[in-house]
């Protein structure tokens, strides 16, 4: 291409877990728009920008993997700095729809669920620009 317009170029160290994320991966739209009713019964909507939320779990990770990666990502990015979440970079069918640029919210603990098995739940909320 002669010209490329990029809103944000994301260069960072990627982390792809050794064991895939659980099958409870969810992605949904959140519509924070409000609708008020007039005294005559008419609906008066106030449209607000929609955004996506994705939730997923890593349930069969090692202690080292979660503390070396997830724990460090939360320390460095917290709930105020951006992250890029791609469920499966090789699944190109809906890659753009399933890629989420946002912030981590509701930070959850790393849980030692069984002998040498650790788990962590994530919730990422899309940043609207």
């Amino acid at each position: 291409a002669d010209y490329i317009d990029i809103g944000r170029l994301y260069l960072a160290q990627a982390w792809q877990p050794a064991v895939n994320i659980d099958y409870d991966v969810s992605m949904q739209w959140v519509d924070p728009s409000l609708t008020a009713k007039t005294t005559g019964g008419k609906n008066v909507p106030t449209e607000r920008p929609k955004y996506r939320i994705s939730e997923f779990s890593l349930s069969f990770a090692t202690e080292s993997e979660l503390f070396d990666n997830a724990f460090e990502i939360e320390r460095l990015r917290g709930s105020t700095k951006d992250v890029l979440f791609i469920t499966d970079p090789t699944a190109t069918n809906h890659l753009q729809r399933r890629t989420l640029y946002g912030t981590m919210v509701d930070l959850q603990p790393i849980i030692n669920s069984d002998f040498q098995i650790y788990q962590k739940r994530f919730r990422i909320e899309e940043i609207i620009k």
Side-chain angles (χ1 to χ4, degrees), residues 26-74:
S26 67
M27 186 165 300
Q28 69 181 50
W29 283 103
V30 175
D31 186 354
S33 301
L34 303 171
T35 301
K37 246 189 212 310
T38 65
T39 53
K42 182 179 177 183
N43 288 334
V44 181
T46 301
E47 187 175 4
R48 296 205 171 133
K50 297 165 193 64
Y51 60 92
R52 296 174 299 159
I53 290 178
S54 186
E55 293 182 89
F56 59 96
S57 296
L58 297 173
S59 292
F60 298 99
T62 65
E63 178 183 28
S64 293
E65 183 172 31
L66 285 187
F67 277 99
D68 290 347
N69 296 288
F71 200 72
E72 282 303 296
I73 290 170
E74 283 188 349

Side-chain angles (χ1 to χ4, degrees), residues 99-110:
T99 297
L100 189 63
Y101 173 67
T103 56
M104 295 182 294
V105 294
D106 301 331
L107 301 179
Q108 298 293 311
I110 293 174

